[in-house]
Amino acid sequence: MAKLQVQILTPERTLVNEEVSSLSCPTTEGQITILPGHTALVAPLTSGELVAKNGGDDHFIHVAGGFVEVRNDNTVIILADGAEHYFEIDLARAEEAKREAERILKEETLAHEEYALTAWLLHKNLNRIKIARKHSHRRTSPITGEGVLKQ
């Protein structure tokens, strides 16, 4: 059966570089699922959950934005502004960042750019919290075997 060769790259590291059976990612136009044989495309990503399925060895990843490129040869490249596996999300830090963004939006008068950035930070941290909590039943990292949620 055909597979997708997926690379998920951030400015800091390569998060995933392996074959998977499907990839679902959050684009600005909505969630898309890519299967082998998918037509070539380039699409902007938004903050949300990216799911790379490969039998029981699935990846659940928060992406902060970026681009997905699907090539005709079943290669998929994700260039993410930021990305982290669900077990890398520091829940306490994400909740604190969410509270701070909410406080700023309520209490301060912001220029349009500052408002947009603060609203994006709120959205990003809400997604990080949702992903961490959604997968909290997975008690250990599939990679390191360590505990999942940092408190």
Side-chain angles (χ1 to χ4, degrees):
M1 183 170 149
K3 296 270 190 169
L4 297 168
Q5 179 61 44
V6 174
Q7 289 185 314
I8 302 174
L9 309 166
T10 72
E12 294 82 30
R13 64 184 174 152
T14 299
L15 208 65
V16 172
N17 185 12
E18 65 185 62
E19 287 187 339
V20 301
S21 56
S22 71
L23 178 73
S24 295
C25 48
T27 72
T28 56
E29 297 298 316
Q31 191 80 7
I32 64 170
T33 298
I34 302 160
L35 299 170
H38 197 284
T39 189
L41 73 83
V42 175
L45 297 173
T46 189
S47 175
E49 185 175 27
L50 184 145
V51 179
K53 293 200 173 209
N54 197 21
D57 189 24
D58 300 339
H59 296 277
F60 305 98
I61 297 168
H62 172 262
V63 291
F67 290 90
V68 57
E69 177 187 7
V70 180
R71 297 179 179 169
N72 287 327
D73 64 353
N74 286 328
T75 299
V76 180
I77 299 174
I78 303 280
L79 299 176
D81 297 333
E84 58 194 329
H85 291 278
Y86 73 90
F87 55 84
E88 296 173 316
I89 296 172
D90 186 330
L91 189 57
R93 282 187 50 214
E95 288 174 341
E96 178 57 34
K98 175 189 93 68
R99 283 190 297 275
E100 180 63 12
E102 288 172 334
R103 183 196 65 76
I104 290 170
L105 289 172
K106 285 180 187 174
E107 297 176 5
E108 297 184 23
T109 303
L110 303 172
H112 293 295
E113 296 84 10
E114 292 170 320
Y115 182 88
L117 176 60
T118 305
W120 178 80
L121 288 170
L122 176 59
H123 177 70
K124 176 182 117 173
N125 282 291
L126 285 169
N127 280 321
R128 292 176 71 225
I129 292 165
K130 179 176 138 186
I131 293 165
R133 287 184 177 158
K134 177 180 174 183
H135 298 289
S136 66
H137 67 282
R138 301 172 195 280
R139 295 291 178 214
T140 58
S141 158
I143 295 171
T144 65
E146 296 174 4
V148 178
L149 297 178
K150 302 173 194 167
Q151 293 286 340

